[in-house]
Amino acid sequence: MPKKYQNRKAEMKKPWAGRFKEKTADIVEDFTESVSFDWRLWPYDIEGSIAHARMLARQGIIKRDEANTIIEGLREIAGEIASGRFRWDRKLEDVHMNIETALTRKVGAVGGKLHTARSRNDQVALDTRLYLREETRAVTRLLTKLGKVLLRLAKKHINTAMPGYTHLQRAQPVSFSQHLLAYVEMLQRDRERLEDALKRINTLPLGACALAGTTLPTDRTYLARLLKFERIAENSMDAVSDRDFAVEFLSSGAILMMHLSRMAEELVLWSTDEFSFIELPDAYTTGSSIMPQKKNPDVAELIRGKTGRVYGSLVSLLTIMKGLPLTYNRDMQEDKEPLFDTVDTLKGVLGMLVALLPRIKVRKDRLEKALHGGYMLATDLAEYLVLRGLPFRDAHDATGRIVRHAVEKGVALRELSLEEMRGFSPLIDEDVFEVLKVEDSLRRRKSRGGTSPDEVKRQIQRLEKSI
Amino acid sequence: MPKKYQNRKAEMKKPWAGRFKEKTADIVEDFTESVSFDWRLWPYDIEGSIAHARMLARQGIIKRDEANTIIEGLREIAGEIASGRFRWDRKLEDVHMNIETALTRKVGAVGGKLHTARSRNDQVALDTRLYLREETRAVTRLLTKLGKVLLRLAKKHINTAMPGYTHLQRAQPVSFSQHLLAYVEMLQRDRERLEDALKRINTLPLGACALAGTTLPTDRTYLARLLKFERIAENSMDAVSDRDFAVEFLSSGAILMMHLSRMAEELVLWSTDEFSFIELPDAYTTGSSIMPQKKNPDVAELIRGKTGRVYGSLVSLLTIMKGLPLTYNRDMQEDKEPLFDTVDTLKGVLGMLVALLPRIKVRKDRLEKALHGGYMLATDLAEYLVLRGLPFRDAHDATGRIVRHAVEKGVALRELSLEEMRGFSPLIDEDVFEVLKVEDSLRRRKSRGGTSPDEVKRQIQRLEKSI
Amino acid sequence: MPKKYQNRKAEMKKPWAGRFKEKTADIVEDFTESVSFDWRLWPYDIEGSIAHARMLARQGIIKRDEANTIIEGLREIAGEIASGRFRWDRKLEDVHMNIETALTRKVGAVGGKLHTARSRNDQVALDTRLYLREETRAVTRLLTKLGKVLLRLAKKHINTAMPGYTHLQRAQPVSFSQHLLAYVEMLQRDRERLEDALKRINTLPLGACALAGTTLPTDRTYLARLLKFERIAENSMDAVSDRDFAVEFLSSGAILMMHLSRMAEELVLWSTDEFSFIELPDAYTTGSSIMPQKKNPDVAELIRGKTGRVYGSLVSLLTIMKGLPLTYNRDMQEDKEPLFDTVDTLKGVLGMLVALLPRIKVRKDRLEKALHGGYMLATDLAEYLVLRGLPFRDAHDATGRIVRHAVEKGVALRELSLEEMRGFSPLIDEDVFEVLKVEDSLRRRKSRGGTSPDEVKRQIQRLEKSI
Amino acid sequence: MPKKYQNRKAEMKKPWAGRFKEKTADIVEDFTESVSFDWRLWPYDIEGSIAHARMLARQGIIKRDEANTIIEGLREIAGEIASGRFRWDRKLEDVHMNIETALTRKVGAVGGKLHTARSRNDQVALDTRLYLREETRAVTRLLTKLGKVLLRLAKKHINTAMPGYTHLQRAQPVSFSQHLLAYVEMLQRDRERLEDALKRINTLPLGACALAGTTLPTDRTYLARLLKFERIAENSMDAVSDRDFAVEFLSSGAILMMHLSRMAEELVLWSTDEFSFIELPDAYTTGSSIMPQKKNPDVAELIRGKTGRVYGSLVSLLTIMKGLPLTYNRDMQEDKEPLFDTVDTLKGVLGMLVALLPRIKVRKDRLEKALHGGYMLATDLAEYLVLRGLPFRDAHDATGRIVRHAVEKGVALRELSLEEMRGFSPLIDEDVFEVLKVEDSLRRRKSRGGTSPDEVKRQIQRLEKSI
């Protein structure tokens, strides 16, 4: 966090004051300043400026020793900011002008050469892209970490059977691993999406200047090399108008949060007295100020809730950009807070799950109990009839009627007698009782991607490679 | 802004620690704490606690001198916070526990009596409602101020004619006042909507306790009187589950921003070289870091852009609340930041416009110029034909053909000869040229709510009373 | 649903064709037409036109017998539409032009007088408001119906105890009625919000004409009386620019769906094998195409899911209106589909719940079972200690430690011995066992709005009056 | 559009009726049916079923001649649907059951074998993916077409200068082509994003069955080959829970509409009397029902407005999926309408622009006029000073003061005398007047991506290759 902002009394002159008769009104300065949030971009602003100074020198636009003076000054400023000694000034509007002004104060008039062939329009696009490139990679790494945590957990539970649900109704037995691996698949897609987005994030806007390029002999290819950009924004007007990279990150983030909200919902459900499929460690739950017995899954609830803020940020930026004529419009300054907030949220939430998941206790006794006594093997029974030649629809119907009979009698499928079952289909034989063993149901679902232990192992092996 | 947060090493015990075997993990404390943003609720938290203590004493649940000790302690704490001497502690989770802990430290074990017959569930609902009640009134007052600013401007421009637009095409002449008054109407609806919302905001949740009320003999009617609530939340489960008041404020705010985004769009348009209907004062515009001639309407652009953040906040909270089972869920902690941000945004934006609008310079010369040479009086011409008995559809058609003829000839309507016009309709007479005077067009539109000076004056008078 | 649209070959002339050299391109006609969805407005369009014709005659703008001919023609058209004989034509753009053209075809040139002193800009605003006024009332009536259904259910279950939840963890025993009444409170607020919105919906825009009023001597007060509007839009530019009424309806609808999504979530939860608090009737559930045993709470799931479409419609309209300059812009044609869809959704969902809820079976045995064996009376125990003089914080702490002791021992609170409990607080006496009876816990929570039977009855009585 | 739905009186039995005691209530059938919108998926449903039947036969799960009978039946049904002879029935819930029921009616009990080793859960995921794969490609092709239209226009206007804008203020001269090419860049990113999304769309879910795979010996690899899927959903639970592909398409569509809303805004602006940079053809504009002179850019306005519906659809689906536990939940049925609507909207809007843009008339006279008399060459002047050794900041300041001087004098920069300019900087020489020629300004901005004709040509060539 930056040093408390200073509102210097200073007669500070705006860098663009030449054309103006009046000083900017105080209320306008407060309203338009962005340094209170864009100060976070300082490492990227300085990195970009150093590259820009080098390029200017290489192209003979400024002298080599001027560039060196500038670069040295910028590095000193970086040191001051890092150590908390830098004084940010709202009157200087934004991170760019704060740093440039400090530079000129430090190195004299030569500092005024840094902004040659550059505008804040391309500069802020540069800084934001450098920031987002780094943070996208950080989020990606956390996705990998979380994937590994889930894989580790999955490896332990290949043979742990639990009810699989559709419509939150018990449907068919599945492996606890199979359930976990579904989330790994989602996270893999999230990672892929972010990697795709990264191609478009990792594009150099610098050199577009205000909107039209410059009359000075700059070298953007060299800039791209220095700053490790894979692409160059090839149209100057697009370069300063484009916020796709931010929207795309936000929408990838929204989808990621959508996944995590589902996981969080399940953690909450599984922690209820009614399900009790897992137990959360005391250190990862919190209590009530009034009810002494409470132990709440707050962490999961907050993750679910934070989905709202990421969705909201996506809507914010889409709204901001709607209907804006080219090129840069000041509305676009509003892109940063939703972006920063989303980066922080994603990193926080993923880090939290990386820490939490290895600590959950899977209650096999409860999973076991939930498997028995219901009718989750009805599909197995129908497929048993199919293998004996009955069209599936008829098999489904016969089984449905068997289930209804059992429900009305208040017994489990296994508890019906062979005769009773044969009353619904003469194709049923003694070996039906083999089919009605929960234990074997997982094992039998060995279609590709199914929940049989072999398939689960295959999935784990595949994911261990690709993660 | 609060004192920099302290992470005390302290062996601080959580108020709900009794039931727990492990200490809360650090990462969980950081993830779940809310004091870094909910500290803003402190005046309301203290106000609520003082009322609660009084009620407890009045009902004999605590002793009168205990209540006094508590109240005195709370007042001291308020003083410390107001003067920046208070140390907020993230480990204490939220504003409530920070204040209660400070109280007990100050007054001893009796402080532990304050939370009798209260839960953070009803306490945070109380604090948020008290906060929002005050801020809704503040926004309402700013709406009135802005309405007055617009009315003052409107009074000056009753006879200033300008092109009225549909589809951003010049349509019919209107009074500049008529245009401004359209915004006053919108703001009046915004105010009415907020006043309607206030009825539902101004409802006492305290006393619902965790979710089910209490076994202790509390008096919520007395609490409501002390805290000036008009209604009492009559169902304890609803009282702690309900965030309608916040969503409703956000949606009213979104509609308000929708209006201001339209006004901002027009300020931007009117400031272009192409329109040049107004000039913004230098003090309310900003320049470019690269283009020395630029004078940008940043303030209006930012207002337009900030529409995005308010829409986003509304979506956030709607998302958060979707599908939550009763009653309190920790997701709901995420309600505060979008609410605070929206309150700040609305107040900032309205205050900005209150300051800016009186300073805009209306360029009558440009409005005048824009009125002439076009075909904005075509409707007048059609209505002239209607008064001479032609069905409107035929009058419209004849006039349309006259316009097309004039366009092809490259002249204004007025510049056509009587013969030319009679070629399209023999009903046209010499007096048609009276109708084709822009000057008189406003005057003639005297239907209720129309743009004639008399109607505009009537609108102003009506609004001056109701605002 | 309208008769299949006809694309007449006809040399149909656009009513505004006079000024144009080219015919509208086919692709443009398809792209811009709205009759494929706005045909629904026909009853309101005709109602509005009849009132308009009367007003024109009363003011002498058209003759009385002309008005009669027009009105008769319009009534015939209404009959044709109602009976499905009317041919809608996309080439005629919208409901207004379809009807006006049919009128002229029917009654001749006099039909062309209907559009005197009127524009589609104020006409469509009128139609939409008439439509929404009627539908808002319909939704309001359904809210009342649903409220009554819930009240009826609540009256049956005043003494049915169930676990109340916070964080989806069992918190304190509540009455099943208390839980239901929380929803009645929400619905009451929804109704109030819609009634507040209705004030602003119920405002006459007609007479604003294109944007500036008219030069003809219309009487809007008379129009308002004929059409039963409580208010008149007092500024012509605002009258045709304003879509607040639609946004406000959508945001009220979004909040309503937020409530119903919570109820739906609970119906889904309560129908799980794990909770089994209710049973849905077979007629209100559906099965699986593959799993013969499944009985799914699809209705509740769909209600929860439909929350998304209402939220989305709100976002649509907010986005559409963002940054539009005054007055009418064609973007605003896009207001209708989200509005119609939301009206249909709300009515469908409310009607569904009105039918479903009386059919759910409350499983008292399961609720009973869920109440016992946990620690939901811990707050009662703490309050017991408070009544014996212990500060609440200490009482909470002592109780928390007792709970932890019981958890570790694997027993319920009631199963601890007096000695064991006294080990945590000597204030505990033999009468503590009275407090630890679930049966009495409800009865004791008699604070206002609490869950005691008396309070629940009081709530029901109050709601029966106000609903 | 499908044949009008039939509500057959028929004693139609639900395919899952076996387990149920009651018939589904009518209101429930109406509420839950999806065939009124998902009938659109029929070609994909049949394609998928044919592949499934082949696979079943190949694996010996059904007999080869059974498969042939089924396939033949399906093809007949396809023919009936295509020719409008098929009767859709709401009572049969969805497209899947309508087709399967028709099949069984046609081919007898063997039809009941088709649903072996398949669930509607994986079937609907399959159909939606097949649909979206095709439509994504269609949208992509339209993007290419629109890109080409823009490129063609750009090639004509390389040397057409116009004001480039920031903050909607004239900033620097740019080529009209440069402006158009900015949009081509955006569309290229849109295409790339859709192609990235296509990787994830193009994934086979079939074979996941209800959620856990099947006990029958299916071959999903063969299915993938038949249906030309590049990937196979490797986890059965994920396969039926996943709607990422739809959300990702919607978010790519939202970004695309964001771009088109900007283009539409500019078309509207440029068509105003004030800008008059372009003229829209009569055939692509519409008139007013009241104002005979109006010629409105409705098409552009509608495109801008339709941004709202796509944003709204994105929010809908994100909301729907938030917090859903695994695996399939009926909420997910609500994914289709926003998806269909967005596909239709994108195709409609892109097709419209492909038709419209070649018909716009660029008014060079107006662009020319807008270039002169302002101060758009101020940056050129500052860069002139930089080349003479002045630090940019000082050059900016001096130029700013020169501009202010000229503004106050009411003259253009070029109209100042050399002496006047030298009063601000002695570095200015006679050759400054070369710099102050608008004509040359474009030519000089030859930095990579800049607006010089050479750079514009280079961009065009690059894009012609990549498009």
Side-chain angles (χ1 to χ4, degrees), chain A residues 148-244:
Chain A
K148 285 183 177 164
V149 163
L150 285 162
L151 275 184
R152 217 166 300 136
L153 206 54
K155 276 169 108 163
K156 283 196 224 156
H157 290 287
I158 294 172
N159 293 301
T160 307
M162 70 179 291
Y165 293 80
T166 63
H167 309 257
L168 210 55
Q169 294 289 313
R170 292 178 189 164
Q172 293 175 354
V174 296
S175 157
F176 191 71
S177 294
Q178 181 77 350
H179 200 128
L180 295 174
L181 294 174
Y183 284 107
V184 183
E185 291 290 334
M186 296 180 213
L187 299 177
Q188 289 286 89
R189 282 196 299 277
D190 289 322
R191 211 188 59 182
E192 209 183 274
R193 247 184 304 270
L194 285 171
E195 282 164 359
D196 285 343
L198 195 54
K199 295 183 292 189
R200 288 174 284 274
I201 293 168
N202 200 5
T203 298
L204 176 81
L206 196 65
C209 303
L211 76 157
T214 177
T215 67
L216 300 169
T218 52
D219 183 348
R220 297 181 71 205
T221 316
Y222 179 64
L223 275 175
R225 202 159 68 237
L226 282 180
L227 292 165
K228 302 201 174 61
F229 278 106
E230 278 167 27
R231 302 178 179 189
I232 292 177
E234 295 286 2
N235 177 287
S236 58
M237 295 181 77
D238 177 51
V240 296
S241 304
D242 173 23
R243 288 298 180 273
D244 288 15

Side-chain angles (χ1 to χ4, degrees), chain B residues 163 165-172 265 268-269 271-275 277 286-298 301 304 315 318-324 331 369-370 375-379 382-383 392-393 395-397 399-400 403, chain D residues 163 165-172 265 268-269 271-275 277 286-298 301 304 315 318-324 331 369-370 375-379 382-383 392-393 395-397 399-400 403:
Chain B
Y165 293 79
T166 63
H167 307 258
L168 209 55
Q169 295 288 313
R170 292 178 188 163
Q172 295 175 353
E265 173 84 3
V268 170
L269 279 177
S271 302
T272 56
D273 287 299
E274 289 74 13
F275 280 81
F277 287 177
T286 59
S288 157
S289 73
I290 179 168
M291 295 170 290
Q293 89 283 10
K294 288 302 291 296
K295 185 179 139 181
N296 297 323
D298 296 78
E301 293 169 88
R304 188 176 57 188
V315 169
L318 284 170
T319 305
I320 289 165
M321 297 302 295
K322 183 231 164 186
L324 291 188
D331 318 52
K369 204 178 146 208
Y375 305 93
M376 271 187 292
L377 298 188
T379 318
E383 292 187 349
F392 179 74
R393 268 294 156 247
H396 183 288
D397 189 58
T399 312
V403 167
Chain D
Y165 293 79
T166 62
H167 308 258
L168 209 54
Q169 294 288 313
R170 292 179 187 163
Q172 294 175 354
E265 171 84 4
V268 170
L269 278 178
S271 302
T272 57
D273 287 298
E274 290 74 14
F275 280 82
F277 287 177
T286 60
S288 158
S289 72
I290 180 168
M291 295 169 290
Q293 88 283 9
K294 287 301 294 293
K295 184 179 143 182
N296 296 322
D298 295 78
E301 293 169 89
R304 188 176 56 187
V315 169
L318 284 171
T319 304
I320 289 164
M321 297 303 293
K322 183 229 163 187
L324 291 187
D331 319 52
K369 202 178 148 210
Y375 304 93
M376 273 187 291
L377 297 189
T379 317
E383 292 188 348
F392 179 74
R393 269 293 156 246
H396 183 287
D397 188 59
T399 312
V403 168

Side-chain angles (χ1 to χ4, degrees), chain A residues 306-356:
Chain A
K306 282 175 192 295
T307 309
R309 72 195 297 150
V310 176
Y311 284 14
S313 291
L314 172 58
V315 168
S316 285
L317 193 49
L318 284 170
T319 304
I320 289 165
M321 297 302 294
K322 181 232 166 186
L324 289 188
L326 300 189
T327 55
Y328 183 82
N329 299 279
R330 189 67 177 262
D331 318 52
M332 290 154 73
Q333 174 173 305
E334 292 279 316
D335 64 346
K336 268 163 230 73
E337 284 159 292
L339 197 58
F340 294 166
D341 191 74
T342 299
V343 164
D344 295 345
T345 301
L346 297 181
K347 286 162 69 182
V349 161
L350 290 168
M352 190 68 241
L353 284 167
V354 164
L356 169 65

Side-chain angles (χ1 to χ4, degrees), chain A residues 163 165-172 265 268-269 271-275 277 288-298 301 315 319-322 324 331 370 375-376 378-379 382-383 392-393 395-396 399-400 403, chain C residues 163 165-172 265 268-269 271-275 277 288-298 301 315 319-322 324 331 370 375-376 378-379 382-383 392-393 395-396 399-400 403:
Chain A
Y165 293 80
T166 63
H167 309 257
L168 210 55
Q169 294 289 313
R170 292 178 189 164
Q172 293 175 354
E265 172 84 3
V268 170
L269 280 177
S271 301
T272 57
D273 286 300
E274 290 74 13
F275 280 81
F277 287 178
S288 157
S289 72
I290 181 168
M291 295 171 290
Q293 89 283 9
K294 288 300 293 293
K295 185 180 142 181
N296 296 322
D298 295 80
E301 293 169 89
V315 168
T319 304
I320 289 165
M321 297 302 294
K322 181 232 166 186
L324 289 188
D331 318 52
Y375 305 94
M376 273 187 291
T379 317
E383 291 187 349
F392 178 74
R393 269 295 155 245
H396 183 288
T399 312
V403 168
Chain C
Y165 293 79
T166 63
H167 308 257
L168 211 53
Q169 294 289 315
R170 292 178 188 164
Q172 295 175 353
E265 172 84 4
V268 170
L269 279 178
S271 301
T272 57
D273 287 298
E274 290 75 13
F275 280 80
F277 287 177
S288 158
S289 72
I290 180 167
M291 295 170 290
Q293 88 283 8
K294 288 300 293 292
K295 183 178 142 182
N296 296 322
D298 295 78
E301 292 169 88
V315 169
T319 304
I320 288 165
M321 297 303 293
K322 184 232 164 185
L324 290 188
D331 317 53
Y375 304 94
M376 273 188 289
T379 317
E383 293 187 348
F392 178 74
R393 267 297 154 243
H396 183 288
T399 311
V403 168

